[in-house]
Amino acid sequence: MADQPFNLAQPEPAPDHPSHDGQPAAGPVPVGPSAAGPAPSGAAPARRAAGATEPAPAHDAQHGDEQIQLGDRPDLEAIERFRAHSARQVQPAAGVAGSGAGQPEGTRAGGAAPAGAGPGGEVAAGTFITGAWPQPVVLAVVVGAVAVLAMVFAGLSAVPGSGFLLTVGRIGATVFGIAVYTSVGVAALACTAWAAGLSVGKLERAAGVMGVAVAGFFAVSNVPMPWGQLGAVLALGMGAGAYWLALVAFVRRPLAEIHTVALIHVALAVVIYLGTLVTGLVRSAEDAQRAENAAKAPKPPAEPPVQVIDLNRP
């Protein structure tokens, strides 16, 4: 038995079984191939009988292009290099898995397109007015056509009996209102985009979108209605609906943002209207005060009539 070589490839007997020399093993014996070659004859049974454990088999760890030798006394620097290399390999995988964490919902892979996405689901990153359609030239043509309709309806809805100059003045006031409130609408778009952390985008597109909305409001609200004040209120509501539809069609943002644009636009328009109204009232009051002051001013004394002396009279 002492001359029989110990084969590491064969499994060791269980600890509760007697060993080759009839004595139970004093401790666990690891099993595995050894890189140092087969043990000399009789060495392994002697170590097992003394209760010693087999040394850990040495093996090579291959990771990437770096080969690390791990033996009976592991090299701590080699282990640290192995860990660092493993961490570098794990970080890219974690980055790919969490790449959609910082993106808005709907733009991640497999996510649904947001409510403000344009045709085909594209969303222009960082801009409030998304999509590439319609082009500013198309918007300009639409604004011109709708503005002409607004001018025609403004002339038709003039007060009966108005003269030519009053009708022309009403049409001019409509064109001036479209220009002013379009600018106010661009400011409302800019405020809403700033609140959302975005930019409006191209100024000509923003002006074209708001021009269509405002011109549509003036065109529909100036349609002659036969029901007096009720017809005027109905026309105003229809104009607001046309304005809202234009924003939904051309801005293509969530409804909450569209309503924010509309509210800011209305608030600014009310401020401008009240300012214009107060300015007119102040000027009217000043004119009335001037007339009153002129009436109360003391008049110069009347001069006596000049007597004409006729020398021909006796």
Side-chain angles (χ1 to χ4, degrees):
M1 294 292 290
D3 298 334
Q4 184 178 357
F6 178 71
N7 189 0
L8 294 177
Q10 296 178 358
E12 289 292 330
D16 54 351
H17 291 176
S19 60
H20 294 283
D21 53 3
Q23 298 295 331
V29 179
V31 180
S34 175
S41 301
R47 287 195 299 269
R48 288 201 308 272
T53 58
E54 291 288 338
H59 61 279
D60 294 340
Q62 184 79 18
H63 194 90
D65 298 333
E66 184 180 4
Q67 184 175 5
I68 302 174
Q69 179 72 25
L70 300 177
D72 295 341
R73 300 180 61 184
D75 189 356
L76 296 181
E77 295 182 358
I79 293 176
E80 292 300 328
R81 291 198 304 272
F82 182 81
R83 289 178 179 176
H85 194 80
S86 301
R88 288 195 301 270
Q89 295 296 328
V90 171
Q91 285 175 359
V96 172
S99 59
Q103 299 178 1
E105 184 178 358
T107 60
R108 303 176 188 173
E122 72 276 2
V123 177
T127 58
F128 188 77
I129 301 179
T130 60
W133 185 89
Q135 297 295 330
V137 177
V138 178
L139 288 173
V141 172
V142 175
V143 170
V146 180
V148 169
L149 286 178
M151 294 166 61
V152 171
F153 290 144
L156 293 177
S157 61
V159 179
S162 299
F164 175 77
L165 293 180
L166 185 58
T167 302
V168 171
R170 180 178 174 82
I171 294 175
T174 300
V175 175
F176 177 76
I178 291 175
V180 170
Y181 291 113
T182 296
S183 303
V184 174
V186 173
L189 280 175
C191 291
T192 309
W194 175 79
L198 304 173
S199 65
V200 179
K202 294 183 178 180
L203 183 60
E204 56 269 22
R205 288 202 64 204
V209 168
M210 294 308 303
V212 172
V214 173
F217 171 79
F218 275 91
V220 177
S221 61
N222 283 328
V223 173
M225 292 289 180
W227 301 295
Q229 294 296 329
L230 179 62
V233 172
L234 181 60
L236 188 64
M238 292 172 60
Y243 170 87
W244 183 81
L245 288 176
L247 288 185
V248 172
F250 294 117
V251 177
R252 295 193 291 275
R253 299 293 300 183
L255 290 180
E257 296 180 355
I258 296 231
H259 294 161
T260 302
V261 173
L263 288 176
I264 296 176
H265 196 176
V266 170
L268 295 176
V270 168
V271 170
I272 292 177
Y273 176 77
L274 291 178
T276 305
L277 181 63
V278 170
T279 301
L281 291 176
V282 169
R283 289 181 178 178
S284 299
E286 288 179 348
D287 293 339
Q289 188 64 38
R290 289 192 186 96
E292 184 179 355
N293 294 339
K296 291 181 179 180
K299 297 179 180 179
E303 295 181 359
V306 178
Q307 295 181 357
V308 180
I309 301 176
D310 190 2
L311 298 178
N312 295 324
R313 294 180 62 185

